[in-house]
Amino acid sequence: MTPGELGEAFRAMDLPGYRAEQVFRWLGRGAAGFEEMSDLPKALRARLEERFDLPALSMIRRQVSAKDGTEKFLWRLPDGESVETVLMRYKHGNTVCISSQVGCRMGCAFCASTIGGKVRDLSASEMLDEVIRTGLAAGTAVTGVVLMGIGEPLDNFDNVMRFLALVNDPAGANIGMRHISLSTCGLVEAIDKLAQLHLQLTLSVSLHAPDDETRSKLMPVNARYGVDELYEACRRYFAVTGRRISFEYAMVRDVNDSPWHARELVRRLRGTGSHVNLIRLNYVSERGLAPSSEETVRSFAKALTDGGVTATIRRRLGSDIDAACGQLRRGEMRKV
Ligand code: SAH
């Protein structure tokens, strides 16, 4: 619930508004039950216990990277499903990468999260709990959130928008929209809908190929919205929001990493002010695709930059703890 909704529910119970504010703050600090809310009268805690559900995530597994301090958590959801969350430590703060669905139905050829399809959407409170519990478990403040874990956030539009409002609330987690990134495989109608909300978040689009032929090999969604339509949607998004889009490009050996692909990408993106994030494919054992060599990635990046498109090569964090897309949940599923 938002503070407003909680206030209304409390009014309906003849409780004063400040009680709702107290409870909202407790929830933002990660209270898993009303009994923890020590500044509420005992009788009130019992009443709230009866009236409200507080389903909290419980930790199944925590892995810490020996290389870079990245932490990866596997959480048990109230119905027994599981999702994973990653905490990345940067000089400027700590970012939590959250999942937005249990599984995914987008079917990208290189991604572990989509094997087995989508089980269900996550609720706004489950996503919020990922952020809060990860910060608590890692013993650190969370300063940024990226929606780049398991799932397609724009395929769970309403819950994700509700989550954004909650995580952004000053009385709660208080994460500024400018510290939030949302990544999509390119659902055009949802990108247009998002633009209308004028949020200050960063939209990342998983492009992975500049042309239909290559992109269709990697991403089934391309059959629904081809690259021309996607580029158009990105142009509209920038026109409406004034926020530049960043494109993700996973480099797959002999599939999308040739000089031709780089030239084509330059042709399509030059002058748009868009940024390209190159990442060497994370190897997923179930998938028959290999990462491009480091040298290929470097020359691809140079070709983009020389062509006038800004590009960065994404640093790999947590590679020693299976921090690539969906791998921890897959591991858990194989065990059971
Ligand atoms: N569904 C959303 C967000 C989740 S995936 C989306 O598609 O953008 C986050 C990013 O990781 C996406 O760019 C996705 O394409 C990428 N990704 C998935 N599997 C990967 C892998 N094995 N190696 C590198 N990047 C991968």
Side-chain angles (χ1 to χ4, degrees), residues 38-316:
S38 50
D39 55 357
L40 300 184
K42 251 204 154 106
L44 176 58
R45 281 186 252 164
R47 226 179 125 198
L48 295 174
E49 193 77 61
E50 233 164 70
R51 167 72 178 75
F52 296 101
D53 248 354
L54 286 187
L57 309 189
S58 58
M59 197 195 298
I60 301 173
R61 201 131 64 91
R62 172 185 187 185
Q63 287 170 281
V64 183
S65 164
K67 284 189 194 159
D68 51 44
T70 298
E71 300 196 26
K72 181 147 178 164
F73 297 90
L74 186 68
W75 300 106
R76 176 80 64 213
L77 303 171
D79 64 352
E81 295 294 343
S82 59
V83 285
E84 52 191 88
T85 310
V86 179
L87 177 100
M88 293 163 292
R89 297 175 190 274
Y90 298 105
K91 276 195 221 80
H92 55 268
N94 299 316
T95 295
V96 170
C97 173
I98 67 157
S99 298
S100 56
Q101 296 177 318
V102 181
C104 182
R105 58 184 183 136
M106 296 299 137
C108 296
F110 44 79
C111 182
S113 301
T114 199
I115 303 168
K118 181 184 104 168
V119 178
R120 69 169 173 88
D121 290 329
L122 290 186
S123 69
S125 72
E126 286 170 330
M127 289 181 260
L128 184 64
D129 222 21
E130 287 184 71
V131 175
I132 292 171
R133 295 228 167 261
T134 298
L136 280 176
T140 174
V142 175
T143 52
V145 171
V146 296
L147 285 123
M148 292 191 184
I150 298 172
E152 166 51 48
L154 296 187
D155 186 39
N156 183 13
F157 196 90
D158 293 345
N159 290 347
V160 165
M161 294 310 125
R162 199 176 162 75
F163 158 73
L164 290 175
L166 287 170
V167 80
N168 184 231
D169 198 290
N174 194 20
I175 309 224
M177 281 292 171
R178 283 177 182 269
H179 300 280
I180 299 177
S181 294
L182 186 154
S183 177
T184 178
C185 65
L187 302 179
V188 163
E189 281 132 24
I191 291 174
D192 282 329
K193 221 162 109 184
L194 183 67
Q196 295 308 321
L197 301 178
H198 295 274
L199 302 177
Q200 294 295 296
L201 53 72
T202 300
L203 181 64
S204 298
V205 170
S206 300
L207 191 58
H208 302 322
D211 62 298
D212 280 323
E213 197 189 328
T214 314
R215 196 165 189 265
S216 295
K217 283 187 207 154
L218 297 170
M219 304 177 75
V221 70
N222 202 65
R224 229 163 101 206
Y225 310 103
V227 291
D228 288 336
E229 223 182 318
L230 181 56
Y231 287 127
E232 264 308 295
C234 293
R235 198 194 50 74
R236 286 195 298 276
Y237 185 88
F238 177 54
V240 171
T241 64
R243 307 277 303 161
R244 290 185 206 289
I245 289 188
S246 93
F247 290 102
E248 290 155 278
Y249 200 105
M251 305 245 350
V252 191
R253 179 175 303 181
D254 298 334
V255 178
N256 65 357
D257 62 351
S258 72
W260 180 84
H261 288 103
R263 279 197 303 275
E264 192 60 14
L265 205 52
V266 164
R267 189 176 74 76
R268 301 305 298 245
L269 297 184
R270 190 175 27 212
T272 63
S274 309
H275 180 90
V276 177
N277 238 316
L278 299 171
I279 177 169
R280 275 183 80 209
L281 186 80
N282 276 308
Y283 184 69
V284 178
S285 60
E286 284 95 337
R287 305 303 209 183
L289 299 167
S292 308
S293 72
E294 282 182 32
E295 199 193 321
T296 303
V297 177
R298 271 197 303 273
S299 49
F300 199 91
K302 185 169 182 308
L304 295 185
T305 317
D306 289 349
V309 173
T310 61
T312 44
I313 300 173
R314 194 180 287 174
R315 204 154 53 95
R316 303 176 99 188

